[in-house]
Amino acid sequence: MITRDECHALDATDELAPLRREFRLDDKVIYLDGNSLGPVCERTRARVQETIDQEWAEGLVTSWNAAGWMATPTRLGNRLAALIGARSGEVLVADTLTFCLAKLIGGALDQRPDRHVVLTDAANFHSDIYIVEAMAKRAGRPVTVKAIRREALTQELDDDVALVMLTHVDYRTGEMLDMKDITSKVHALGALMLWDLAHSAGAVPVDLTDADADFAAGCTYKYLNGGPGAPGFLYVRSSWQGVLENPLPGWLGHARPFDFELVYEPAQGMQAFVTSSPSIIALAALDGALDVWDHATMSQVRAKSLALTDLFIQLVDERLPGQFDVVTPLDHALRGSQVSLRHSDGYAIIQALIESGVIGDFRAPDICRFGFTPLYVRYIDVYEAVDRMVEVMAVGSFRDPRFAVRHAVT
Ligand SMILES: Cc1ncc(COP(=O)(O)O)c(C=O)c1O
């Protein structure tokens, strides 16, 4: 049995431990939902304040030039690039994830005009499926979206597949796919590869360059702590830039927006994927949140993430035997930075846990989801979380009818 003291000892030697102070977290709350919404960083507050008080209040409209506002989407894209194995100039922070996917899907379908199939995962996030189906309908030729079992990918791949769109880490189970292997199989059949990195960016090591991915998109409000509804990001491999067209063009993606020309001419590089005015305050929040990454490497984060998720799985096994099914892969190579437990009363259990100060979330139909974010989650948090789960399950407090009331966000 792992003890509380052993967990304290692990925290005492954890080189990432000092970073917890960068976040505003109440010590009474155990926050295991950074895979849904990351907490506020102190630097975020400072950066947003500075943007409002100096750049906006004092600089007014001159800040578009003087404070470099116009370049923020590409500047932050370059900050983010390092975390996902992209090169400078290949990432843009803009829109939100579903919009980013729309741009990349639309652009990609135009690049394979003789092909008529898009493959995606039947277990993909619903928004991804909605947007790929909508973009396929607008491709200008018949394009069928096949939502398949991910294990059947190799059989389904043929020379009529234009694009494969997959989410790298499954939002429900936390299973991580082999990006490099899948991308090379997709390329071998002449199709293009688009990765959704919603549960990967800042969570697991990603090397888009090594995997030779064509396109990727993700969000910044989860493991990157950019704030609720924070902007998303797009990755377009440099060899596609100047080739891939933005299907949703707007004035700020034009080569000369202030010439007010009526004929669209795309700007160079990732700027061509900008549609409209960047959301400067939201970008300032993300800018501040990214500062924490100046003090942590992805390999440190990965090592601690695996240690935290291993610890959680072991404690659940030891202290709650037979009560939950662990649906997250035990194999490290297949695991993201979350652990999902299946239980038929999962929703009520999560509500009871939240009331006891342990915040996780629920994904229908029966998944209790716990995110482990090494920048601020401690080993002792894992111990205490399982301790409170033991109590909730032993006392049966989750059976109280008020915990069955479904909230809009689960
Ligand atoms: C895998 C995945 N794709 C897409 C989305 C939708 O993101 P957005 O609301 O930024 O469009 C989410 C949101 O959590 C997600 O987890």
Side-chain angles (χ1 to χ4, degrees):
M1 281 273 187
I2 298 163
T3 64
R4 193 176 253 120
D5 284 348
E6 281 167 337
C7 292
H8 277 306
L10 287 168
D11 284 320
T13 55
D14 170 20
E15 42 189 20
L16 294 179
L19 293 184
R20 184 177 160 90
R21 287 198 292 275
E22 304 286 325
F23 294 87
R24 291 190 69 196
L25 284 165
D26 179 344
D27 263 343
K28 288 193 285 303
V29 172
I30 298 172
Y31 194 59
L32 302 181
D33 211 5
N35 52 319
S36 183
L37 175 68
V40 181
C41 297
E42 290 296 348
R43 282 288 305 142
T44 299
R45 281 175 6 127
R47 188 71 193 89
V48 168
Q49 209 68 58
E50 179 186 320
T51 303
I52 292 174
D53 294 345
Q54 286 156 37
E55 298 177 8
W56 183 13
E58 290 172 21
L60 292 165
V61 75
T62 66
S63 284
W64 283 109
N65 292 319
W69 282 353
M70 210 50 107
T72 318
T74 45
R75 182 174 66 76
L76 293 195
N78 287 340
R79 291 197 77 183
L80 231 153
L83 293 175
I84 53 173
R87 287 171 288 231
S88 180
E90 292 183 323
V91 182
L92 176 79
V93 178
D95 311 304
T96 35
L97 173 50
T98 308
F99 286 94
C100 296
L101 291 172
K103 289 179 174 177
L104 297 172
I105 296 163
L109 288 178
D110 288 345
Q111 296 300 322
R112 290 290 181 271
D114 302 329
R115 296 181 175 223
H116 304 91
V117 174
V118 177
L119 296 181
T120 192
D121 185 344
N124 210 340
F125 195 76
H126 43 346
S127 201
D128 295 40
I129 296 193
Y130 304 156
I131 199 67
V132 74
E133 283 178 346
M135 295 309 288
K137 266 193 220 148
R138 287 157 183 78
R141 64 183 187 280
V143 173
T144 307
V145 176
K146 288 196 193 167
I148 58 166
R149 281 186 314 109
R150 62 187 70 144
E151 299 77 23
L153 182 69
T154 321
Q155 291 120 267
E156 296 283 347
L157 266 174
D158 61 27
D159 61 8
D160 203 24
V161 175
L163 174 71
V164 177
M165 178 179 106
L166 295 173
T167 297
H168 180 226
V169 175
D170 185 300
Y171 75 101
R172 264 200 209 93
T173 64
E175 178 185 353
M176 179 166 71
L177 304 182
D178 185 335
M179 179 178 282
K180 189 170 181 175
D181 180 56
I182 293 175
T183 305
S184 87
K185 286 180 176 142
V186 168
H187 284 167
L189 270 294
L192 302 175
M193 186 72 226
L194 163 58
W195 288 102
D196 178 336
L197 302 180
H199 298 267
S200 309
V204 296
V206 175
D207 195 336
L208 290 167
T209 304
D210 182 55
D212 199 27
D214 299 286
F215 318 116
C219 58
T220 64
Y221 41 75
K222 300 181 190 293
Y223 295 90
L224 297 172
N225 313 304
F233 65 88
L234 301 96
Y235 161 86
V236 175
R237 197 179 63 213
S238 48
S239 58
W240 279 113
Q241 294 181 25
V243 179
L244 194 82
E245 286 181 22
N246 178 358
L248 298 173
W251 69 306
L252 292 182
H254 193 281
R256 295 168 299 281
F258 283 86
D259 282 1
F260 299 96
E261 293 165 22
L262 297 184
V263 177
Y264 185 71
E265 184 191 322
Q268 303 261 309
M270 289 308 289
Q271 188 67 31
F273 291 89
V274 175
T275 300
S276 41
S277 307
S279 196
I280 294 302
I281 295 172
L283 289 166
L286 175 62
D287 200 13
L290 288 176
D291 284 356
V292 72
W293 291 95
D294 295 341
H295 310 285
T297 65
M298 205 57 230
S299 58
Q300 285 175 312
V301 167
R302 179 59 172 165
K304 185 174 170 192
S305 159
L306 289 172
L308 291 170
T309 50
D310 275 346
L311 174 65
F312 184 71
I313 292 168
Q314 191 178 341
L315 282 165
V316 168
D317 266 3
E318 284 178 3
R319 303 196 54 201
L320 293 158
Q323 300 205 48
F324 293 92
D325 290 333
V326 179
V327 297
T328 300
L330 298 183
D331 181 348
H332 285 178
L334 304 180
R335 192 189 303 164
S337 199
Q338 72 184 59
V339 176
S340 300
L341 305 179
R342 178 168 282 136
H343 194 289
S344 53
D345 290 314
Y347 180 77
I349 292 170
I350 288 293
Q351 298 313 307
L353 276 173
I354 291 173
E355 196 175 88
S356 81
V358 178
I359 303 184
D361 65 18
F362 172 77
R363 288 295 173 263
D366 54 5
I367 299 289
C368 302
R369 221 171 49 147
F370 301 93
F372 295 89
T373 313
L375 300 176
Y376 51 83
V377 173
R378 299 166 297 195
Y379 292 92
I380 193 64
D381 295 328
V382 178
Y383 187 90
E384 295 296 349
V386 177
D387 210 45
R388 292 189 208 171
M389 281 171 81
V390 169
E391 199 176 312
V392 162
M393 298 310 288
V395 175
S397 57
F398 66 90
R399 295 211 170 81
D400 189 313
R402 74 204 150 93
F403 293 135
V405 178
R406 286 287 172 115
H407 299 298
V409 176
T410 63

